[in-house]
Amino acid sequence: MSASRRSGSTDELGPDGPEREGADLLAALLDGMDAALCAFDADGVVTHWNREAERILGWTAAEAVGRKGFAGWAVRSADAEEIEGRLLAAMRAPGRQVHEFALLTKDGGRVLVRTQSAAVRGSDGEPAGLYCAFSEVHAQIDLERSIALSEALFEDASWGVVLVDADLRPAVVNAHAARAFGTGRTSVLGRPLGDLLAQGVEELESALTHVLAEGAPPAPAELWVSVRTPEGERRRCWSCGFLRLASPLAEEPVPLGVGWLFRDVTEARQTEQEASALRFRSNQLHRAARAAAECEDPAEAATVHLDFALAGFADHALIDRVAGAPLTGEAAAPVRLVRLAATPAGAPGPSLRTGEAGLPVRYDQGHPAVQCVERSGSVRASAGVMAADRARAWARARQWPEGTVHALCAVLRSRGRTLGVVTFLRGTGRTAFERPDAAHAEDIAARIATALDLAAATTEEQNR
């Protein structure tokens, strides 16, 4: 235990009075310190020596207290004058003084320590001694590195760093993470993650809960989230790493929260997805061309192209041809379209050829398919965000299968003439058609139009 020089005299309260209690409290406090501590009186005599000092140097409190300086036992004689001079100078200097020097262990070894010394002043303000706290240099350097790492992560890191407490609320957020959330560092603190993320919050909270219970996962995880920003929602892909934080001061591991590190990989993942979709679509076009080449009936070849195009692209598809002769320019009369082929509206299956009766489809004048023929260009339509019953009414009014919420119409042109339109439909749970989808649909439409043009030419030749 810690020791101090005592005269052995007591006051009238006896040995169990306040003085003894104060000394025992001081000894307990000194022994509980993580740093080694010794103290000197004004003459340079050791008055206090705690357990950590004993652990580092091996000298017990009984062996250290009462010695004058470090000479001959805790430092080499050759170094004693310089070291004691630097230590005792702290009694005359303001504030704390930091030094590094080598101390001797009881078994004769040397330990490089870093010391912090400061004067202890009496009631008259004059120096009455000094205290000296010291620790092994490598331990101090490790601590300083840890602190420097923490500060760098929360200031200069090029990825997001968030400390999440046990209630799954951000406790500390670095500048990069705040920018990713589209808000300030302080405005994020203490808020539920649901206030920051519109989508993906359930997956993130599940991951954080798992880390609190089971520890860090063995590899990073990628999460797709939608971030709420003043400009609207932004869909992002974050590569996330998680670390469970436990208190080093508790006897049993007590989780303090989770360290969450993430970086934005949205562009890379979108590029990979686009490249994968492009490869798949190219393979489908190649397979469709080979299958269509084996069809004796060109009209059947058109439906083959349609069936191969649906995989991974749309839920349903329709082919409508222009009633009468193909259009070579702007339509002089309202466009009428006849259904030529369609995928089953119920169970999945191959396209069915219809329209033998030649009856026009009941399309309104502003229907996307009609607009596509009139403009000779692709048209996209979407129900947007609306209730399920309104979405069903929206699809029903356009003569599309129930559940349709997104549509893409591509014009069928061959030899400078408009033959009709192919319509691709997506249901709920699918994203809206985008520009790359329109380019793919136009490629499919060109192949279908060629097949339909050949079918019409073959029919004319047979009828002669």
Side-chain angles (χ1 to χ4, degrees):
M1 62 178 290
S2 298
S4 63
R5 289 194 303 168
R6 301 182 183 136
S7 62
S9 61
T10 58
D11 58 18
E12 64 275 9
L13 295 178
D16 294 327
E19 181 181 341
R20 175 62 180 272
E21 293 177 359
D24 291 342
L25 175 61
L26 176 60
L29 291 174
L30 295 180
D31 281 340
M33 295 178 60
D34 292 331
L37 184 136
C38 64
F40 301 87
D41 62 15
D43 299 324
V45 176
V46 177
T47 60
H48 295 81
W49 189 266
N50 73 347
R51 285 188 181 273
E52 185 65 12
E54 179 180 343
R55 186 193 68 79
I56 293 176
L57 298 181
W59 300 98
T60 66
E63 294 171 321
V65 173
R67 291 177 180 265
K68 182 174 177 60
F70 285 152
W73 63 286
V75 297
R76 295 191 311 173
S77 300
D79 300 331
E81 183 177 354
E82 177 190 357
I83 291 175
E84 292 182 7
R86 290 159 67 182
L87 287 176
L88 295 176
M91 283 194 289
R92 300 183 299 273
R96 292 180 299 174
Q97 304 295 309
V98 178
H99 302 286
E100 288 185 7
F101 46 76
L103 295 181
L104 292 179
T105 62
K106 187 176 181 179
D107 58 8
R110 301 184 71 195
V111 178
L112 184 63
V113 299
R114 178 174 296 178
T115 66
Q116 294 187 30
S117 305
V120 177
R121 301 189 181 278
S123 57
D124 57 356
E126 294 298 321
L130 65 92
Y131 75 85
C132 174
F134 62 93
S135 60
E136 297 174 84
V137 167
H138 69 83
Q140 184 71 20
I141 292 176
D142 288 343
L143 176 61
E144 292 179 1
R145 283 176 181 155
S146 298
I147 296 173
L149 175 60
S150 299
E151 293 180 350
L153 286 175
F154 287 105
E155 295 296 336
D156 305 321
S158 58
W159 55 86
V161 182
V162 181
L163 294 189
V164 182
D165 63 20
D167 295 326
L168 306 186
R169 296 173 183 256
V172 185
V173 177
N174 77 339
H176 187 96
R179 288 193 298 270
F181 288 125
T183 184
R185 294 180 63 177
T186 56
S187 60
V188 179
L189 305 184
R191 295 173 59 185
L193 294 173
D195 291 352
L196 307 172
L197 304 177
Q199 295 180 0
V201 63
E202 295 85 1
E203 292 81 358
L204 177 58
E205 289 183 343
S206 176
L208 295 172
T209 303
H210 174 81
V211 173
L212 281 172
E214 304 293 336
E222 290 188 359
L223 300 176
W224 281 93
V225 299
S226 291
V227 184
R228 303 182 192 272
T229 66
E231 296 78 21
E233 295 182 4
R234 294 185 304 166
R235 186 157 175 78
R236 314 303 298 169
C237 181
W238 290 342
S239 178
C240 304
F242 302 96
L243 298 170
R244 181 167 64 176
L245 306 179
S247 173
L249 303 180
E251 294 183 3
E252 296 293 333
V254 178
L256 298 177
V258 177
W260 170 32
L261 293 82
F262 67 91
R263 61 189 182 95
D264 196 316
V265 294
T266 307
E267 293 185 4
R269 295 300 169 263
Q270 288 178 341
T271 301
E272 291 176 1
Q273 291 176 356
E274 291 171 1
S276 177
L278 183 59
R279 287 193 301 269
F280 177 77
R281 291 174 180 179
S282 298
N283 289 335
Q284 287 296 96
L285 291 175
H286 175 70
R287 295 173 60 195
R290 295 187 61 181
E294 302 299 323
C295 296
E296 296 182 4
D297 183 1
E300 182 184 355
T303 60
V304 166
H305 282 292
L306 190 66
D307 291 336
F308 274 92
L310 278 180
F313 184 66
D315 298 321
H316 298 288
L318 316 168
I319 298 178
D320 299 322
R321 64 175 176 84
V322 174
L327 302 178
T328 57
E330 294 186 2
V335 175
R336 294 188 305 160
L337 298 172
V338 177
R339 180 65 44 79
L340 183 65
T343 55
S351 301
L352 303 176
R353 293 172 61 182
T354 59
E356 287 80 1
L359 298 177
V361 186
R362 294 181 297 106
Y363 285 156
D364 295 333
Q365 188 60 33
H367 193 280
V370 175
Q371 294 181 29
C372 178
V373 172
E374 293 175 343
R375 300 175 184 177
S376 294
S378 299
V379 174
R380 288 179 286 171
S382 179
V385 180
M386 59 175 63
D389 54 343
R390 293 185 59 190
R392 287 192 294 268
W394 179 86
R396 192 182 308 115
R398 288 157 180 78
Q399 309 300 316
W400 291 332
E402 184 175 336
T404 298
V405 292
H406 307 297
L408 171 60
C409 300
V411 66
L412 302 175
R413 287 184 62 81
S414 177
R415 294 188 294 164
R417 302 174 303 159
T418 300
L419 307 181
V421 59
V422 58
T423 303
F424 296 99
L425 306 172
R426 289 177 177 174
T428 56
R430 300 286 296 270
T431 59
F433 290 100
E434 299 179 352
R435 289 185 180 274
D437 299 322
H440 181 58
E442 290 167 0
D443 198 357
I444 299 168
R447 296 166 185 258
I448 294 175
T450 300
L452 293 181
D453 195 13
L454 179 58
T458 303
T459 302
E460 290 178 2
E461 183 176 348
Q462 292 175 350
N463 292 335
R464 288 177 184 172

